[in-house]
Amino acid sequence: MSTNAYLAFLLIGALLVVADGQIIYRSGRRYLENSYGDPAAGASMARLVTVLFHLATLGVLALVSTINIGGDLPSIIARIGVLLLILALAHAITLGALARIRGEQEVEAVVQRGGRQRVEPEQQGPTVMPVAGQDGRYPDVSPSLDQRPPYTTP
């Protein structure tokens, strides 16, 4: 592969990585800021995840650029195809990481709020049907079969 083709591949690859990274950063920041966590923490986490994405994919770009496929134009197209597939995989992994961070933020927000509000039994409707012969809102457990005829034990 000629030097011009090699540089063209590196330029195209770097532009793809930077464009995808910016999409991840902007969308990820909004995604994390809209969760129950702190907006500044959401932006910071999105920035950290995006930097990791950039470093990993630029490293993969450097490795893919060393593969010898042969020919100038078919070589560039094949390398860009491989890079796009790897970029898609890296994008999916990054989205999974952002979703996990958001889930952890939501759990932390619920824990800080004190969990769910407990509803007192007087506020609830009846949850069970009373057993025949037992009156009241909170009936006892039904008697066992061995305490009623025809199974009475001595």
Side-chain angles (χ1 to χ4, degrees):
M1 175 159 70
S2 70
T3 304
N4 288 339
Y6 183 74
L7 292 176
F9 169 72
L10 285 178
L11 179 66
I12 291 169
L15 288 175
L16 287 172
V17 168
V18 169
D20 193 25
Q22 288 302 307
I23 291 169
I24 288 173
Y25 174 69
R26 292 171 195 271
S27 299
R29 187 182 69 213
R30 255 182 276 126
Y31 181 68
L32 293 177
E33 285 176 353
N34 290 334
S35 68
Y36 296 111
D38 181 23
S44 176
M45 289 303 292
R47 193 175 309 112
L48 289 172
V49 170
T50 304
V51 167
L52 177 65
F53 171 82
H54 280 109
L55 291 174
T57 52
L58 287 172
V60 169
L61 173 66
L63 291 175
V64 170
S65 70
T66 62
I67 297 172
N68 187 12
I69 296 177
D72 280 345
L73 186 60
S75 172
I76 292 174
I77 293 172
R79 288 180 187 181
I80 288 176
V82 169
L83 179 66
L84 286 173
L85 291 174
I86 293 171
L87 200 57
L89 180 64
H91 190 94
I93 291 169
T94 305
L95 291 180
L98 288 172
R100 184 173 177 173
I101 291 168
R102 181 177 173 149
E104 290 173 0
Q105 282 181 341
E106 289 175 349
V107 167
E108 186 177 329
V110 168
V111 168
Q112 286 178 354
R113 282 190 310 213
R116 293 176 32 198
Q117 295 292 329
R118 183 180 171 143
V119 179
E120 295 299 319
E122 292 79 31
Q123 296 173 350
Q124 290 180 346
T127 57
V128 294
M129 295 297 295
V131 176
Q134 295 181 358
D135 294 325
R137 188 175 184 104
Y138 304 104
D140 293 330
V141 176
S142 175
S144 66
L145 289 177
D146 62 344
Q147 295 175 351
R148 295 191 312 191
Y151 305 106
T152 309
T153 58

